[in-house]
Amino acid sequence: MPSNWNRLKGIVGLGSANGVNGSGAVDRHAWLQEEERALLPQHRNQNIESAIPAEDVTKICLRLRHLIRECIPCELEEAQITRSHSTIITKKVIKAAKEAGNHQNRGCVVYALLVNLHWFKCEAMLELWDADLHQLRAIACTVIAKQMQATVTDTSPPNSIESEEDMEYLLHNILLRRYSFLKGSVPTAPVNVIEMAVDLHAVRVIGSSGYQKCIAYLWRGWLVQDEDDPSVFVDYKDKDNRSFLVHMDPDRMRAPRYQNAAQMLFSLIYLGLYTAAINSVNPTGVLDGAEVALYIFTFGYVADELVKFYKAGYHILGFWNAVNGTLYSFLTLSLAFRIVGLSHTNNKHQHDHYNRLSYNMLAFIAPLFWSRLLLYLDSFRFFGAMLVVLKVMMKESVIFFALLVILIIGFLQAFIGLDLADDNVAGDVWFIIESMLKAIMQSPEFDGFDGFGHPWGLILYYCFTFVVMIILLNVLIALYNSAYEDIYENADDEYLALFAQKTMQFVRAPDENVFIAPFNIIEIVVSGLCEWWMPKKTYEFINDCIMATLYSPLLFVAAFLETRTAHSIRTNRSRGEEDDDQVHEWEEMSHAMDFEGSGWAKTCEMAKPNVEDEPAVIEVRQLRAEVEDLKGLLAEISKAVRAQGDQTPKEIQDAPESTTGTKKSKVPETPATLEEIDSSEAPETSEATETAEASGSNKSEGKKKKNKKKNKGGAGGSGPGPSAE
């Protein structure tokens, strides 16, 4: 940091060669930029490079894109991809996805899948004729990213969110390492999987076990950004330290859960100050202590919102920013009217008017004050799920309000035109607007429209009431119903996504010195007075002392909780479990059970069903095995038939008749296959011919013998002599 004297010389452009050479304006501009960075909190994620070259990451993304396009070439049912043991996203597909990153760049495969998710979503918007196909491929990206599992060895760490065998590699190299890809030949801003999944609202990836473990570690402050390299997250080294004073470190306020607790506490104090101010009206208009504190808090919150907008731009603007902006605007106007009223001390009428207007405006914003609490209660599951439903419903209602505004403008113009046609004076504009608003609120008033070009005005109002009350409101109800059903079916993942987004708000760009509003006013004062001339170490020491004093009650509670957590961490490590492991009631006696020795494991193995395959597939596999056995048996029979056919006729004649008969009785008549029938047809035919000839000769010989006997009998019977005895 340049010295005080050099700063003064830079302002006037003297005392340096650069100033003499005409570049003093550049020095002054650089000095002003440095002063701006000193007065405003710095973005600690600036100048961060990708862990892997962006060109290599882009090649991995393209490989995965080709793989997914080949696996899903046409439109399919979504359940075929998302269900367990899918026939589309098989183990071979997951293995191929892992190989896309090779051994060196395997850590960025999940990031590359999220990039493809973004690409397919963009392609679905550009090519509406294939939108369903591209959406299906985008879903496949999230399924592969969640279910991608590998055989974990010592040299092959997992690149799967669901795998927990090497949690260290999963957290630091896959989920928290920042990568970038080429976009227009320029590397994008490096982000990690945690941030990108939140930005893309990939609820299936966010709901995975490894992702949620990482979020839990970030929320507790067990994973923090390295002070020297913000792109790297490191473990909090003192999380198992049982010393109370060690955890009283002001830097522990960087943990999201402590920041959220502080914001909730300050919000309750802010609400209490507002309640005290609105319930103690001062007729004189003089600001009391509660009002002064209320407006100081408001100034701190406004400064915090402006700094966030300056650092992150319009990307941070959302629903709660609009609510807070409206609240702070009304509070600022209330204070302005109070000051204007105090300036009219000589005019009692004006003084009372502005004073009353100030309190009326202050009372008007009470719903916004209480609604503001929901911003800090979304870390609880009940409030978080309801906020997700409300958020989606508000998005869905945009369609309704867009149609409503167009209709209001059209009918309003018609009513004003009818009013002008009567007397050329638009004197009933407010009556028309009020009547149209009542129709929207389900309480139309038809009296008064007879005078608007009868009967045209009354007909128009009937049409407007029908369109609004019958058509548009039913459309709004249908949209709300559809949105609620969609969120209710996936409420758990939506809540986890909301919680992850809240965690990343604290982690994404943390300040070096955490001064939560309204304490940021103190930071602005100290930074403006000391940072520009004081040595860095001294300035950091002063900030630590101020933070330790301001947050001492919260740090005391945090140290107490972390000390208890340190005891449980050491207990878990002594049992060989994870640091965040908890022993539940069903695990208390699990160590005393020996399922293998008792034979219960074998019984369960025999009783468990096969959930990986369909019953029809199992039956077909069994049938195939039986067919293979039958083919083998028939092959053996055909061999026996061939062996019999190879015997010579002489051997057959020499063989005893009993033996021949026995052999023939053992040989079946049916060959194994058609080919074996063809191969054995010739010998069997020859044998049949020989047998037929032999039987024919035997029959002819038998007939001759019978004829001879008949002849002898005939000769003897024709004579008169007696018969032979």
Side-chain angles (χ1 to χ4, degrees), residues 281-288 291 338-339 341-342 351-352 355 359:
V281 178
N282 298 324
T284 60
V286 179
L287 298 174
D288 55 13
E291 291 178 325
R338 185 70 61 83
I339 295 174
L342 290 174
H351 175 271
D352 294 341
N355 190 32
Y359 276 108

Side-chain angles (χ1 to χ4, degrees), residues 637-663:
I637 295 174
S638 65
K639 290 180 181 179
V641 172
R642 291 194 189 96
Q644 181 181 1
D646 292 340
Q647 295 180 352
T648 60
K650 182 178 180 181
E651 292 176 349
I652 296 176
Q653 294 176 0
D654 294 342
E657 294 181 359
S658 59
T659 307
T660 307
T662 305
K663 289 183 179 180

